[in-house]
Amino acid sequence: MASRAAPVEDLSPEQVEAAKRGDKIVSVGEHLLELRNRITVATLTLVLTTVLALVFAQDVIDYLLEPGRRADPNFRPIFTELLGFFGSYLKVSLLIGLAFAMPMILYQGVMYLNPALTTGERRWTIPLILLATVSFAGGAAFAFYVAWPPALNFLLNFGQDVADAQVTINDYVNKLTRFMFWTGIVFETPLVLMGLGFLGIVSSRALKRAWRWSIIGSFVMAAIITPSVDPVTQAAVALPLIALYGLGILLVKLVERHRGELEATAPVEA
């Protein structure tokens, strides 16, 4: 026997919106089943990419040590535990695997949320994911190629007349990867401000008025995420953060202009 369709007044606003878009209304159990399947695909992808990364993880570690060799020709990290180098090897393999699996992970997340998005939101999804990926990669590259070498040079040569630096491979990899990760996160600032502006939480006018606080916050954030305490390295990180804040203001202004155009062209409801 065919099931009778539910009256429109019994549907939630989300279900009504889904019906207008022609999407199939599914039950909670089907949502959970789809969520489990997409998590499984994302997890298997991460495992596969991590296993493949084990092949060339040692070459990546050797490349990550290049700034140390440039700062000190005799630089050679040590490990004081039996699993010292092996732990760093696995960590780098996992990070490489996560980087290569991230497109599939984001794709599975977007496809799971896709039925709940409006047509306009779906149009913005892929560009925002690409911009977020590029911003994070740009922040990580900036940390490794621009900010890390002077910080490492300061840390290795400071007090060299008193003591010799004996850096463990775990300490080196942990500090470098943490620095690259948080710098990549901070480089997402313009997109975060753009999202807040899209939701109407912040405005470009309010962000302009807070420009003094943004400068202070940029230097505080640089002092937190940089491994070195020298002012040159912290300034090298803080200045791009200030520029990213200005870019965020421009993106919020674009969002406000776009929202204003939509409100001006929208039909007036009775």
Side-chain angles (χ1 to χ4, degrees), residues 38 62 124 158 182 213 235:
R38 296 197 178 279
D62 187 65
W124 281 88
F158 183 79
W182 286 111
W213 290 105

Side-chain angles (χ1 to χ4, degrees), residues 56-67 69 85 169:
F56 51 90
Q58 188 167 343
D59 295 330
V60 174
I61 293 177
D62 187 65
Y63 184 77
L64 295 178
L65 295 177
E66 282 299 322
R69 298 190 185 103
F85 180 77
I169 186 66

Side-chain angles (χ1 to χ4, degrees), residues 177-223:
T177 54
R178 189 183 301 118
F179 180 41
M180 294 174 63
F181 174 79
W182 286 111
T183 305
I185 293 296
V186 170
F187 267 57
E188 306 281 355
T189 300
L191 294 180
V192 173
L193 294 178
M194 182 180 178
L196 295 177
F198 180 80
L199 297 175
I201 299 177
V202 299
S203 64
S204 59
R205 183 174 300 177
L207 293 175
K208 288 179 182 179
R209 288 198 301 264
W211 67 270
R212 295 180 180 87
W213 290 105
S214 70
I215 295 176
I216 297 175
S218 297
F219 278 94
V220 171
M221 184 62 66

Side-chain angles (χ1 to χ4, degrees), residues 152-171:
L152 189 62
N153 183 70
F154 173 81
L155 294 174
L156 289 178
N157 294 306
F158 183 79
Q160 193 176 25
D161 298 335
V162 179
D164 294 330
Q166 296 290 323
V167 183
T168 62
I169 186 66
N170 273 337
D171 187 46

